[in-house]
Amino acid sequence: MLSDTPGLHHVTGIVGDPQDAIDFYSGVLGVRLVTQTVNFEDILQHHLYFGDANGTPGTVLTHFPDPHGDPGRPGKPQIKSVSFVVPTDSLVYWETRLADHDVAVEGPLERFDERVLRFEDPAGTRVELVAGPPVPTDIELWTAGPVPTDRAICALHGVSTLSGNPYATAGTLETLGFDHDGEDGDRIRYRASGSRATVVDVLDRDARFGREGTGTLHHVAVRVEREADLHEWRELFDDRGYDVSRVKDRHFFHSLYVRDPGGILFELATQTGGVAASDGVNEPGESLFLPDWFERDRDLIESQLPALTVPTGVGGDDTP
Ligand code: ZN
C-alpha cells in the first residue's frame, strides 16, 4: 500500500545567467546555494540547488541556467509560480528589501487567509512570498545569509499550476495523496498532510499556451519515503496510462517523472536528509559538485562552465 506524499520535495525552473540567479536567490532572498552541480542529462549545463542550510526536501528550489536560451512564455500547461513561506510579520521587511534591490513587487494580495507578495526573478520566473501559514520548525535556516533569521524564507509554500485540464491535474494530485482544501475565486487548493511545502493550487482559468524557456518553471517534485515506493508508483501510473519515466538515480535522491494528462510535469523524489548532507558535498555550494560517475570528466566540464561566486553575507547584513 503506497502512502500519501507529505508534501513537495523541490521545484525546478529554467533561468538565464547562473550568476544572476545566485545573486538574486542567495544575495537578495537569502536562500542558500546548497549545491552547484551539472544537469545529469546534459553535463555542460549547471544545476543550482537553493534551500535551507541543509537543502532539506521541502525547502529546495533548483534552477537550470541556460544563458543563451530563449525566454519562455508563461501559459498552459505550466507551473505558473513558486511560493515560499515567510514569518507572519515580515512582509513590510520584504517589501522594503525587494524595493531596495530594484525588484518590482505586487501586493500584499489577500488569498485564502494569507497575504502574498508577488515579483519576478531576473529571468522572469514568478516568485511569491506568503505570510500567514505556520512557520515550519523542522528545517535549519541559513544563519550566515544576508536576511535576519526572524525574517527569513523558511521553506517552500507550494506552486500554482496552469493545467491544460484542471480536472485531470486535480485527479493526479488526489492520487498522490493531496486533499481538496478550499477554493478562492478560480484557485482550487490541494494540500498534502506534512509539516512543510504542502500546497498545490490548480488555477481554473483561460490562458494561452506557454512555451518552455528561461523564466519558466519546469516541474514540481513531491516527497516519497523510499526508493522501493518509486517502483510501486511507477507501476500505478503506468497502469493508468500516464507518461512515466523509469526510476532515476539523482545522487541526492532517487526519482521518477510523470507527465499528468493536464500536461503538468510531476516528479516523485525520495526524502533523504538533504542535498548538502549527501556524501562528497563538504562545502555546500562553494565548488562544483560532481557525482562519481562524472568525476573523470571534471576538467572538461569545468572548462566549459562559467565559474560562479557565492555571496558571503553575514546574518542581518544587507549587502547585495
Ligand atoms: Zn527535479
Side-chain angles (χ1 to χ4, degrees), residues 9-12 47 49 62 64 218-221 250 253 255-257 266-269:
H9 188 286
H10 64 270
V11 177
T12 292
H47 191 186
Y49 284 70
T62 93
F64 292 118
H218 187 261
H219 63 264
V220 53
R250 292 311 192 203
F253 45 83
S255 70
L256 69 82
Y257 299 83
F266 289 93
E267 179 182 357
L268 286 74

Side-chain angles (χ1 to χ4, degrees), residues 75-280:
K76 288 187 176 186
Q78 277 179 7
I79 299 161
K80 180 170 180 282
S81 59
V82 57
S83 58
F84 293 98
V85 176
V86 294
T88 312
D89 56 356
S90 68
L91 284 193
V92 172
Y93 167 86
W94 280 107
E95 281 184 275
T96 309
R97 180 170 178 81
L98 290 163
D100 286 349
H101 288 84
D102 299 320
V103 179
V105 179
E106 193 187 341
L109 313 162
E110 296 281 338
R111 185 190 292 166
F112 296 97
D113 291 330
E114 302 166 344
R115 285 173 310 132
V116 181
L117 294 182
R118 268 210 303 231
F119 50 93
E120 295 181 356
D121 78 5
T125 315
R126 284 110 186 265
V127 182
E128 298 174 340
L129 299 183
V130 180
V135 167
T137 52
D138 50 356
I139 57 146
E140 198 175 322
L141 292 171
W142 181 35
T143 51
V147 175
T149 50
D150 62 347
R151 298 284 183 263
I153 286 174
C154 311
L156 291 171
H157 175 260
V159 290
S160 297
T161 59
L162 270 176
S163 172
N165 181 341
Y167 298 101
T169 297
T172 305
L173 289 166
E174 284 171 354
T175 300
L176 289 167
F178 287 79
D179 289 322
H180 181 271
D181 191 51
E183 297 182 12
D184 188 346
D186 60 6
R187 179 176 292 271
I188 306 153
R189 176 151 293 183
Y190 285 83
R191 191 185 287 280
S193 59
S195 60
R196 58 183 185 277
T198 54
V199 168
V200 176
D201 285 347
V202 178
L203 304 175
D204 187 9
R205 67 177 70 154
D206 287 332
R208 60 182 182 172
F209 281 96
R211 185 181 57 229
E212 192 173 290
T214 61
T216 61
L217 292 163
H218 187 261
H219 63 264
V220 53
V222 301
R223 314 198 283 278
V224 302
E225 208 53 55
R226 302 166 306 135
E227 190 190 338
D229 299 342
L230 291 175
H231 295 279
E232 286 186 51
W233 279 110
R234 191 187 180 289
E235 212 165 295
L236 181 150
F237 282 118
D238 195 40
D239 284 349
R240 295 191 185 183
Y242 282 63
D243 177 11
V244 59
S245 78
R246 63 185 171 79
V247 173
K248 300 189 180 211
D249 181 354
R250 292 311 192 203
H251 181 81
F252 308 111
F253 45 83
H254 282 76
S255 70
L256 69 82
Y257 299 83
V258 55
R259 175 84 61 183
D260 103 294
I264 303 296
L265 184 59
F266 289 93
E267 179 182 357
L268 286 74
T270 51
Q271 182 160 242
T272 48
V275 171
S278 298
D279 292 347

Side-chain angles (χ1 to χ4, degrees), residues 21-95:
I22 293 171
D23 292 346
F24 183 75
Y25 285 98
S26 289
V28 179
L29 297 188
V31 286
R32 187 179 200 176
L33 179 68
V34 278
T35 295
Q36 48 165 306
T37 184
V38 293
N39 181 347
F40 291 179
E41 311 284 347
D42 172 7
I43 56 170
L44 300 184
Q45 181 176 36
H46 269 117
H47 191 186
L48 307 176
Y49 284 70
F50 299 94
D52 75 346
N54 299 320
T56 306
T59 70
V60 175
L61 175 67
T62 93
H63 276 299
F64 292 118
D66 187 4
H68 308 296
D70 290 329
R73 187 176 67 199
K76 288 187 176 186
Q78 277 179 7
I79 299 161
K80 180 170 180 282
S81 59
V82 57
S83 58
F84 293 98
V85 176
V86 294
T88 312
D89 56 356
S90 68
L91 284 193
V92 172
Y93 167 86
W94 280 107
E95 281 184 275

